[in-house]
Amino acid sequence: MAVQSVESSTTSSASVPGAFGPAVALSCRECGERFELGPIFACEACFGPLEVAYELPAGDPEGLRRRIEAGPNSIWRYAPLLPVPADVAELPSLDPGLTQLVRADRLAGELGVTGELHIKDDSGNPTHSFKDRVVAIAVQAARTFGFTTLSCSSTGNLAGAVGAAAARAGFRSCVFIPHDLEAGKVVMAAVYGGDLVGIEGNYDDVNRFCSELIGDPAGEGWGFVNVNLRPYYGEGSKTLAYEICEQLGWRLPDQIVVPIASGSQLTKIDKGLKELIAIGLVEDRPYKIFGAQAEGCSPVSAAFKAGHDVVRPQKPRTIAKSLAIGNPADGPYVLDIARRTGGAVEDVNDEQIVDAIKLLARTEGIFAETAGGVTVGVTKKLIEDGLLDPSLTTVVLNTGDGLKTLDAVAPTTGPSAIIRPTLDSFREAGLA
Amino acid sequence: MAVQSVESSTTSSASVPGAFGPAVALSCRECGERFELGPIFACEACFGPLEVAYELPAGDPEGLRRRIEAGPNSIWRYAPLLPVPADVAELPSLDPGLTQLVRADRLAGELGVTGELHIKDDSGNPTHSFKDRVVAIAVQAARTFGFTTLSCSSTGNLAGAVGAAAARAGFRSCVFIPHDLEAGKVVMAAVYGGDLVGIEGNYDDVNRFCSELIGDPAGEGWGFVNVNLRPYYGEGSKTLAYEICEQLGWRLPDQIVVPIASGSQLTKIDKGLKELIAIGLVEDRPYKIFGAQAEGCSPVSAAFKAGHDVVRPQKPRTIAKSLAIGNPADGPYVLDIARRTGGAVEDVNDEQIVDAIKLLARTEGIFAETAGGVTVGVTKKLIEDGLLDPSLTTVVLNTGDGLKTLDAVAPTTGPSAIIRPTLDSFREAGLA
C-alpha cells in the first residue's frame, strides 16, 4: 500500500481557503519532500510517513496566550496551532480535551517523589480515551475532503471514538474489528448506530483488509482516520502537550511519561512542546520524555536498552491490549526522542500493571485502564532505577478508562467482607 | 432513626469561620425550624428533612458573574453559592462538574423539536455520573466536621463516587452494598482501595443497617454522605442548574427534563434556578420542570397522573436500576414543583428506555446509562403528548454513563455483518 492521490470526488485543500488553519503542507518525515494538503499519508518519493507542516503564529505570544485562554473548554482552544479552520468550535464535534491535570500528592508520597507529580487524566474525554482527540481532527479533515463515511480498524477504544464522533458530526461510519472481540467492546463500538463489521481474522488481517479497501472503488469517499487521514489524526495528540503546559501555568514539565503503542502519541507530544517553545508560549529549557511499554509487548523498550536504532517486532502478549502493537511504526522516532531529551524507555509486567492501576486508584481516586497502569508502573520503576528525578516536576499520562478493562483488576478486587445486616456481624468483621 | 446531635468528637460550624461559605443554618423543609450547621439531617421538632439555608451574595450580579466565569472549570466556580469555604478549590477533591451542555440538533430533528435542544451530559464527571457532584460537597462537610471515614449505602454509582472521592481527599472509606451485586459494579466500588462490605440482604437491608450504624459507637466519626451528611450532599445537585444557565449564556431554559430516583435532584435544580433569579444572575421568567421515571418504578409519575399529593410506594422492576427507588423521599416535593411550574411527570417502559439510549447514541454520539434513556424517552413522549413545547429551549439531563449499564443494550446491539477479510466478502455484505 503506497501513495494515495487526491480523489476526484474529494476536495483539495487549495479550494477551501483556511480549511487547515496554520497548516501549509504535508511533509515527509524521512526525506522532507512536501505535498499539498490532501488525503494522503505516504511520500511519493520515498514512501516515508507524511506529517502536517505549519506556518505557526509568531511575534505575539502574549496575545496568542490570551486568545487560547479565552477559547472553548476543549482542544479547539488550540485551533491556531492545529490543521483546522478558525471556526472549528462551531462545527458539530465531540469537543474532546481540556481533561484534568491532577496534582497527585498522595501518589507522590508513595513513590518518593518530592517534586510536583501530576496525572494527565484523559479518561475524562467524551468516550473516555485520548482517541477522541485524534479522531476529532480526522473528522474535520474528512469534512474538508468531502468524505461521507468515517472508518477505521480497531480493537476497542478507537472504534467507540469513531462511532461516537461520526454520530455527532453526521457522518456515516463503518468500523472494522476482529470478529472475536469481547462482547462488551462490541457493544461500545456498535451502540452509536454506524456499521460495525467483524472480520474473520486477527487485527493484522483487519488492517490488511482496510488497506485493500482504500484502493478499491468500494472505499471511495471513505476517510479511514488512522490510514488516509493519519497525518491529521496524529496531530490531535499535540493537544496533550499544549494542555499540560497551559495547566502548569504555561510551563514545561521537567519530565513526562507517555505510553507507547505505535509511538505516534509520544512523537506528537514532543512536536507540541517544541512548537510552544518556538512560538514563545513557554520558556525554552530542557525536558525529558520517557516511554512506557508492557513487558509483553516491549519492542521499543528492548531496542532502547540494547542501544539499537531499529525496533525488532514482537508478538504481543499482555493485558495492556490498547498498547499491544508488536511492530510500532514510530518506534525509531521514539528512540530518537528518548535519547535526545535524556529520557528512557522502560517496561513493566502484567502484575506490575495491575498493582499500578490499584496504586493510582487508591491514592488519587483515578481508575485507569491498563495503559495507565503501564505509565504509573514505569514511573515507579524509573524512580527506583534512578532514571527519573523525583525532585522535579513530572507529568504521567493516563490515556484511558478502567471501566473498559475491568477484567485486568477483577480477579484481585472485591469486598473486604460479607456480613449479615447486624452490628454484631459488622464488629466481628473487624472493620469498625 | 431520628435526630443526630453534633458529636463531641466532631467540630461544629461555629468553630470554623467561613467553613460553609454563604450557608447560615439548616432549616426544616416542613416546619421551617432552624438549626446550627452540623452533621444532622432531620428536624428535632417535626422529623422533617433539613436543608441548607443561605445568605446569598446580593447587589452585584455582574461582579459575581465575572467571578464565577474566572473560577475553576469545576463546580467550585460556584463556591459563592454553595456550603463550602471560599478556598475549596485548593483542597484535594475530584473537582467534578462543568460537564458539557451539548447542542443536540440531530436529536432535535428526530424528535421534531424546532427550538434549541440540549443534553446536559454528566457522564463527563470523574467517575462518570452526577454523583461526583453531591459527594464532593459531602466530602467538604465531612472535612469540616472532622469525620475520618466516608461511608454510604449504594447499589452502584454512589459506591464508586464515594470510593474515588475518599481516595483523592485522603479519607478512609467504608461502603455498604448488597452482597449479590453484579461483578463489574463490585470491581468499580472496590478498586479505590477503601473497605467494601457486602451485606446479606437487599438494598433496604443495607440502608437499615447504615441507619443503625450511625447511632452506634462503631459508626462514630463516620460521615454517611447520603444520611448524616445528606443536607450538604443534596446541594451538589444545584450546580447542574447553575451550569446549565451559565452554559446557555446566563439564561434560564424554558423546559428541563430531570430523572427521578429519590426526587432530590429535581428539587435542588429548582432551588438552584430560583437562587439564580433571586441574585439577578438570570432574568426572572417562567420555566417548566419535567420529571422522568421508568414505568417499572413510577410512583411519582403515577401520583402526578392521578392528581394525588402523596406518593404510593412501588416495588421496582426496571432496567433503570439507578432510578429504582420505590418510595422516593422527595416525591411530594417533586409533585409540587412539576405542578407549580407547569411541567409534568411521565414514565417510559424498558423497551422505550433502550430505544432512547440508542437514539441518543446514534444522533449525538452520547452513550447514556439507563437513566439517560429514561429522560430522552420521556422527552419524546412528552412532545408526542403535547406536554412539552418543541418550539422552546429544552434541556434534557443524562446523569450517567452507558459503560456502566452495558447489559441494557447488549442483547440488541452488535455487528452489522461478519465477513472474511476480502473485498468480495465485503461487497456481498452490501455495506459499500
Side-chain angles (χ1 to χ4, degrees):
Chain A
M1 254 280 342
V3 179
Q4 195 69 12
S5 64
V6 179
E7 301 274 342
S8 59
S9 65
T10 61
T11 310
S12 88
S13 66
S15 64
V16 186
F20 291 99
V24 292
L26 293 177
S27 85
C28 174
R29 226 168 351 163
E30 289 298 326
C31 73
E33 182 80 14
R34 287 201 161 205
F35 302 88
E36 192 181 332
L37 289 158
I40 55 175
F41 57 99
C43 175
E44 282 181 26
C46 77
F47 302 101
L50 301 181
E51 67 174 355
V52 177
Y54 299 89
E55 276 172 17
L56 290 175
D60 182 19
E62 264 314 314
L64 179 58
R65 205 180 288 179
R66 275 197 304 275
R67 187 172 152 199
I68 290 170
E69 288 172 351
N73 286 340
S74 71
I75 60 169
W76 305 132
R77 66 204 278 113
Y78 307 107
L81 310 177
L82 295 171
V84 297
D87 67 348
V88 64
E90 287 156 42
L91 302 168
S93 152
L94 293 183
D95 299 331
L98 213 64
T99 55
Q100 293 190 354
L101 184 73
V102 176
R103 174 71 184 250
D105 287 344
R106 284 166 44 78
L107 177 61
E110 297 249 357
L111 296 182
V113 171
T114 53
E116 285 178 33
L117 180 65
H118 301 263
I119 304 290
K120 179 62 176 171
D121 185 14
D122 244 19
S123 67
N125 278 313
T127 73
H128 307 321
S129 88
F130 91 98
K131 293 287 185 190
D132 290 326
R133 297 177 183 271
V134 287
V135 170
I137 312 277
V139 168
Q140 182 49 40
R143 196 178 262 139
T144 300
F145 295 133
F147 290 136
T148 51
T149 297
L150 286 177
S151 186
C152 69
S153 53
S154 171
T155 61
N157 280 335
L158 185 57
V162 167
R168 177 74 59 86
F171 286 76
R172 179 198 173 210
S173 69
C174 186
V175 167
F176 298 93
I177 57 172
H179 74 296
D180 57 355
L181 219 57
E182 302 93 308
K185 286 193 179 165
V186 173
V187 171
M188 286 184 239
V191 74
Y192 301 105
D195 283 314
L196 180 73
V197 179
I199 299 269
E200 291 172 355
N202 60 23
Y203 182 63
D204 287 335
D205 296 315
V206 178
N207 259 330
R208 252 191 310 273
F209 170 76
C210 287
S211 296
E212 278 184 59
L213 187 52
I214 288 177
D216 189 86
E220 203 174 308
W222 288 37
F224 289 78
V225 300
N226 54 348
V227 189
N228 57 348
L229 297 173
R230 190 170 185 86
Y232 310 93
Y233 170 90
E235 296 297 287
S237 288
K238 290 196 311 180
T239 59
L240 279 161
Y242 301 155
E243 292 180 15
I244 288 167
C245 289
E246 181 180 353
Q247 291 171 320
L248 287 175
W250 296 108
R251 177 166 61 100
L252 288 168
D254 298 308
Q255 306 171 122
I256 177 163
V257 184
V258 184
I260 300 172
S262 73
S264 167
Q265 185 181 65
L266 188 146
T267 68
K268 298 302 181 182
I269 286 174
D270 181 55
K271 188 181 183 187
L273 296 177
K274 287 198 285 189
E275 286 173 354
L276 294 187
I277 292 170
I279 305 168
L281 285 179
V282 297
E283 191 190 352
D284 184 5
R285 52 189 198 79
Y287 58 84
K288 295 183 180 184
I289 301 190
F290 297 83
Q293 295 207 293
E295 186 181 291
C297 181
S298 52
V300 189
S301 168
F304 182 86
K305 291 175 185 173
H308 294 163
D309 290 333
V310 292
V311 171
R312 196 166 147 193
Q314 291 183 0
K315 198 173 156 67
R317 192 182 168 139
T318 167
I319 56 169
K321 294 197 198 304
S322 63
L323 302 183
I325 298 185
N327 188 13
D330 285 347
Y333 302 112
V334 167
L335 291 171
D336 275 355
I337 292 167
R339 287 174 181 142
R340 172 172 54 75
T341 64
V345 185
E346 187 50 277
D347 56 84
V348 282
N349 64 32
D350 285 358
E351 194 185 333
Q352 290 168 318
I353 294 169
V354 171
D355 285 349
I357 291 173
K358 291 185 183 176
L359 173 65
L360 181 62
R362 175 168 60 78
T363 53
E364 300 297 338
I366 296 172
F367 183 20
E369 70 149 63
T370 43
V374 169
T375 50
V376 171
V378 161
T379 302
K380 182 167 185 284
K381 199 167 173 181
L382 289 168
I383 293 169
E384 287 162 1
D385 294 347
L387 294 170
L388 192 135
D389 186 337
S391 71
L392 301 177
T393 295
T394 303
V395 174
V396 178
L397 261 61
N398 171 40
T399 52
D401 202 294
L403 286 182
K404 298 194 185 183
T405 56
L406 282 176
D407 289 350
V409 293
T412 57
T413 305
S416 320
I418 305 286
I419 66 169
R420 295 184 307 283
T422 68
L423 291 170
D424 281 347
S425 184
F426 179 64
R427 284 194 199 95
E428 279 161 26
L431 297 168
Chain B
M1 254 280 343
V3 179
Q4 197 67 9
S5 64
V6 179
E7 302 273 341
S8 57
S9 65
T10 62
T11 312
S12 89
S13 67
S15 62
V16 186
F20 292 99
V24 292
L26 294 177
S27 85
C28 175
R29 222 160 6 154
E30 289 299 325
C31 73
E33 181 81 14
R34 288 199 161 207
F35 302 88
E36 191 183 335
L37 290 157
I40 55 173
F41 56 99
C43 175
E44 282 181 27
C46 77
F47 301 102
L50 300 182
E51 66 174 355
V52 177
Y54 298 89
E55 274 171 18
L56 291 176
D60 181 19
E62 266 313 315
L64 180 57
R65 205 180 288 179
R66 276 196 304 276
R67 185 172 153 197
I68 290 171
E69 288 172 352
N73 287 342
S74 71
I75 60 171
W76 303 133
R77 67 204 278 112
Y78 307 107
L81 309 176
L82 295 171
V84 296
D87 67 348
V88 65
E90 288 156 43
L91 303 168
S93 152
L94 293 183
D95 299 331
L98 213 63
T99 55
Q100 293 190 354
L101 184 72
V102 176
R103 175 71 183 251
D105 287 343
R106 285 166 44 77
L107 177 63
E110 297 247 359
L111 296 181
V113 170
T114 54
E116 284 177 35
L117 181 65
H118 301 263
I119 304 290
K120 180 63 176 170
D121 184 14
D122 244 18
S123 66
N125 277 313
T127 72
H128 308 320
S129 88
F130 91 98
K131 292 289 186 189
D132 290 327
R133 297 177 184 273
V134 288
V135 170
I137 312 276
V139 168
Q140 182 48 41
R143 197 178 260 142
T144 300
F145 294 133
F147 290 135
T148 51
T149 297
L150 286 176
S151 186
C152 70
S153 53
S154 171
T155 62
N157 281 336
L158 185 58
V162 167
R168 178 74 59 87
F171 285 76
R172 179 196 172 209
S173 69
C174 186
V175 166
F176 299 92
I177 58 172
H179 73 297
D180 56 355
L181 219 54
E182 303 93 307
K185 286 193 179 164
V186 173
V187 171
M188 287 184 242
V191 75
Y192 300 104
D195 283 313
L196 179 73
V197 179
I199 299 269
E200 291 172 355
N202 59 24
Y203 183 63
D204 287 335
D205 295 317
V206 178
N207 258 332
R208 250 191 310 274
F209 169 76
C210 287
S211 297
E212 277 184 60
L213 186 52
I214 288 178
D216 189 87
E220 203 174 308
W222 287 38
F224 289 78
V225 299
N226 54 350
V227 189
N228 57 348
L229 297 173
R230 190 169 185 87
Y232 310 93
Y233 170 91
E235 295 297 287
S237 288
K238 289 196 312 179
T239 59
L240 279 161
Y242 301 155
E243 290 181 17
I244 288 167
C245 290
E246 181 180 354
Q247 289 170 321
L248 287 175
W250 294 109
R251 179 166 60 99
L252 288 169
D254 298 310
Q255 306 171 123
I256 178 163
V257 184
V258 183
I260 301 172
S262 73
S264 166
Q265 185 181 64
L266 189 147
T267 68
K268 297 301 180 182
I269 286 174
D270 181 58
K271 187 180 183 189
L273 296 176
K274 287 198 285 188
E275 286 173 354
L276 294 187
I277 293 170
I279 304 168
L281 285 180
V282 296
E283 191 189 352
D284 184 5
R285 53 188 195 78
Y287 58 83
K288 295 182 180 185
I289 300 189
F290 298 83
Q293 296 207 293
E295 187 181 293
C297 181
S298 53
V300 187
S301 169
F304 182 85
K305 291 173 185 174
H308 295 164
D309 291 334
V310 292
V311 171
R312 197 168 146 191
Q314 291 182 359
K315 197 174 158 66
R317 194 184 167 137
T318 168
I319 57 169
K321 294 196 199 305
S322 62
L323 303 182
I325 297 184
N327 187 14
D330 285 347
Y333 302 113
V334 167
L335 291 170
D336 274 356
I337 292 167
R339 287 174 181 142
R340 171 172 54 74
T341 64
V345 184
E346 188 50 276
D347 56 85
V348 282
N349 64 34
D350 285 357
E351 196 185 332
Q352 292 168 318
I353 295 169
V354 171
D355 286 348
I357 291 173
K358 291 185 184 179
L359 174 65
L360 181 63
R362 176 167 61 78
T363 53
E364 300 297 339
I366 296 172
F367 184 21
E369 71 148 65
T370 43
V374 168
T375 51
V376 171
V378 160
T379 301
K380 183 167 185 282
K381 198 168 175 181
L382 290 167
I383 293 169
E384 287 163 0
D385 294 347
L387 293 170
L388 191 135
D389 186 337
S391 71
L392 301 178
T393 294
T394 304
V395 174
V396 178
L397 261 63
N398 171 41
T399 50
D401 202 293
L403 287 181
K404 296 193 185 183
T405 56
L406 284 176
D407 290 349
V409 294
T412 58
T413 305
S416 320
I418 304 286
I419 64 170
R420 295 183 307 284
T422 68
L423 291 169
D424 281 347
S425 184
F426 178 63
R427 286 197 197 90
E428 279 162 26
L431 297 168

